[in-house]
Amino acid sequence: MEKVAINPPCSRAAVSFAIGILGLRRMRTATAVYPVVMANSTYEPIQIGSEDRVFVLTGAGVSAESGLRTFRDQGGLWEGHRVEEVATPEGWDEDPVRVWRFYSQRRRDARLAEPNPAHHALAALEEQLGERFFLCTQNVDDLHERSGSRRLAHMHGELFASRCEFHTVAGGAGPGHCDKGPFPDAALYESAEAIPRCACGGRIRPHIVWFGEIPLEMDRIQQEIDRCTVMLVVGTSGAVYPAANFVRWAGSLVRKYYIGPEAPMNAQAFTRLVLGNAGQVLPGLFKAK
Ligand code: APR
């Protein structure tokens, strides 16, 4: 097993569950050492015993091989957009058309995308493990469901759902005087006239957790982290909280693996990094009972 040294990210804890960014840039110095295997080398598959419970966290990288852009990689979604303009409640108040154009384009892209071998490998693992498997995704696309995953939570919302801006979702986002919760919606809204109104007079907004809002299903996610024995984190830069802290919330006896082409910002919290593309690494990575 090869060892590499990369600095620990700054260890500021999430003050609350509201999503926030630790930093957009990775700084590397030689201060922390952790085990790394390269995907193109020979290494032991991850053994999943009959008593193990697996918690998986995925990020944008798991959908990269389906053709969907990540956020912070070169040419990523945030390179062409200011986060504050399209992914905050303030950006929505300022210009809902700009926000809907952004998410309409993402709906268009996601409609054309197909699940890749990484999604299929996770669905197959769920098939084997049943209720000993849980998948939490930061992704808002529906590629996990389309490959067959069922025991999953979309902590940052869903691209193909909308809700009234005055409906309060779990965690408290939204002023809360309307009952019109999330409903399936694949439509594109690209002008002020196109944005539908709720019966209460509110505008229909994307069912997405924006920066400063509270992620969804946190109680369920916390419970699953508490009882897992194996944690797999796939394709996420470890820059956005609270998800970047899940690896630290899990107990010290939990085996923690990261899979992606480069070390994430929270790399030093893992038992092992497997460096490679998820679609190449995940099929064949596990030996499950
Ligand atoms: N396989 C696995 N990982 C990959 C691949 C691949 N083929 N290609 C890229 N990656 C990795 C990159 O190395 C990077 O670490 O995916 C990660 C993508 O990181 P980000 O763009 O930061 O995306 P993510 O971590 O999912 O972002 C978290 O931030 O902007 C918000 O709400 C948004 O859910 C998102 C959250």
Side-chain angles (χ1 to χ4, degrees), residues 12-82:
R12 188 178 62 183
V15 182
S16 72
F17 278 166
I19 67 171
I21 313 174
L22 176 64
L24 297 179
R25 283 174 180 278
R26 234 157 284 203
M27 295 179 305
R28 292 168 193 243
T29 58
T31 48
V33 177
Y34 42 79
V36 171
V37 294
M38 308 305 291
N40 55 7
S41 65
T42 311
Y43 53 88
E44 271 291 293
I46 296 171
Q47 303 284 341
I48 298 169
S50 57
E51 302 292 308
D52 279 322
R53 301 192 68 91
V54 177
F55 180 97
V56 184
L57 171 69
T58 61
V62 81
S63 297
E65 288 154 90
S66 297
L68 297 182
R69 282 193 285 166
T70 62
F71 293 93
R72 295 171 186 79
D73 288 311
Q74 210 175 13
L77 275 164
W78 293 149
E79 227 168 67
H81 297 90
R82 293 188 57 218

Side-chain angles (χ1 to χ4, degrees), residues 110-267:
R111 278 182 194 163
L112 296 174
E114 293 295 334
N116 69 53
H119 299 104
H120 292 311
L122 292 172
L125 187 61
E126 177 178 343
E127 181 81 30
Q128 271 185 288
L129 301 183
E131 66 87 40
R132 291 187 290 129
F133 176 96
F134 186 77
L135 171 58
C136 170
T137 185
Q138 295 169 91
N139 298 346
V140 297
D141 67 53
D142 58 353
L143 296 179
H144 282 304
E145 292 92 318
R146 280 164 54 196
S147 73
S149 292
R150 292 292 171 262
R151 290 180 47 77
L152 88 163
H154 277 277
M155 66 178 290
H156 290 171
E158 294 176 62
L159 192 53
F160 294 108
S162 304
R163 68 175 196 262
C164 175
E165 63 181 332
F166 297 131
H167 176 79
T168 305
V169 287
H177 57 69
C178 177
D179 290 338
K180 191 163 178 62
F183 60 93
D185 186 13
L188 310 179
Y189 306 117
E190 294 176 302
S191 65
E193 305 72 55
I195 300 176
R197 289 268 171 189
C198 175
C200 79
R203 290 163 303 198
I204 296 299
R205 63 164 270 180
H207 182 47
I208 302 283
V209 179
W210 289 323
F211 287 98
E213 295 184 328
I214 312 288
L216 308 173
E217 302 204 58
M218 285 309 297
D219 288 346
R220 184 178 171 212
I221 292 166
Q222 178 76 67
Q223 270 172 16
E224 294 291 344
I225 292 174
D226 288 347
R227 61 184 188 157
C228 77
T229 57
V230 177
M231 180 176 274
L232 307 172
V233 178
V234 185
T236 174
S237 56
V240 172
Y241 285 82
N245 257 343
F246 290 175
V247 63
R248 297 190 183 91
W249 292 356
S252 56
L253 296 179
V254 174
R255 289 176 286 146
K256 303 164 183 180
Y257 301 92
Y258 179 79
I259 297 104
E262 57 183 349
M265 292 181 76
N266 52 357

